Amino acid sequence: MSNTPMAASPLTRAVLEIDEYAAGLGWNQPARLFALVDTARLRAQEPGLAAQLGLDGEQETAGFTPIEQDEVPADKPLDEFLGTIAWPDPVVGCALTVERLMLPPSAEASVPKGLGEAELAQWVAKHPGRQEVRMTVAVLRDGARESALRLREKDSPTPTEVLTGSDLVPGLAEALAATFAE
């Protein structure tokens, strides 16, 4: 968490930590899924694992430790994959980081009608106003949400170039929240 602001909420800090990790891997990466566990509980119940993760010396009591999960399958639609996930009780939240192309709102009127999903993706990829963005979205079992967006063109190691907010990617947040539905 070298660049993560300490004044941020624990969930915001977790999202920024994941964003910083993903930024360190560079662009053109696959989607990555993380379980979020309560750091204090992890230290108390799994001191060996906490030590492996470098958490044994930390004094912070409120916070979440992201634990990267197995690879997200690239050959399956993300919503279908998320629909197959169920988390055990110790997991208090989850997060996903994914790269996408975005268009400015002004481009919406120029989208050709009747395009299939693959055709639309090709059209967006060729649009001059497209932006590459990395989205990191996290949700907790209690419904709390947080997101971070990083534009490739403004990529920087400092978190000042990362936009955060609880409702930046509502569809993805809903899909992640559904992984906790009973």
Side-chain angles (χ1 to χ4, degrees):
M1 282 201 314
S2 59
N3 290 323
T4 305
M6 291 312 294
S9 75
L11 187 56
T12 302
R13 286 195 306 271
V15 165
L16 288 172
E17 181 179 346
I18 293 167
D19 174 76
E20 184 179 348
Y21 167 74
L25 298 172
W27 286 87
N28 304 317
Q29 295 292 315
R32 296 179 185 279
L33 181 66
F34 299 82
L36 298 177
V37 297
D38 180 276
T39 302
R41 184 174 173 188
L42 176 65
R43 278 198 302 265
Q45 294 179 351
E46 299 286 342
L49 178 58
Q52 276 185 296
L53 296 172
L55 303 172
D56 51 344
E58 291 186 15
Q59 296 304 314
E60 182 182 344
T61 56
F64 304 106
T65 298
I67 300 173
E68 188 169 3
Q69 303 301 291
D70 290 336
E71 216 173 274
V72 175
D75 61 342
K76 191 173 197 177
L78 192 55
D79 57 341
E80 284 181 27
F81 168 69
L82 292 175
T84 67
I85 296 174
W87 298 102
D89 288 339
V91 175
V92 297
C94 65
L96 182 79
T97 184
V98 64
E99 296 175 13
R100 292 291 185 257
L101 291 177
M102 290 179 52
L103 293 177
S106 60
E108 191 172 322
S110 64
V111 175
K113 305 286 186 240
L115 292 181
E117 194 171 320
E119 296 161 319
L120 179 60
Q122 288 177 345
W123 184 83
V124 169
K126 293 177 182 174
H127 194 281
R130 73 187 178 283
Q131 296 265 342
E132 289 181 77
V133 64
R134 181 181 302 114
M135 301 176 282
T136 303
V137 180
V139 299
L140 298 180
R141 281 186 192 272
D142 69 9
R145 299 169 179 205
E146 188 61 68
S147 305
L149 296 179
R150 179 186 294 261
L151 293 174
R152 186 172 189 159
E153 75 173 22
K154 294 188 179 223
D155 200 3
S156 153
T158 63
T160 57
E161 294 294 335
V162 178
L163 178 64
T164 60
S166 61
D167 206 20
L168 297 177
V169 192
L172 187 51
E174 285 296 323
L176 289 171
T179 66
F180 292 105
E182 298 291 321

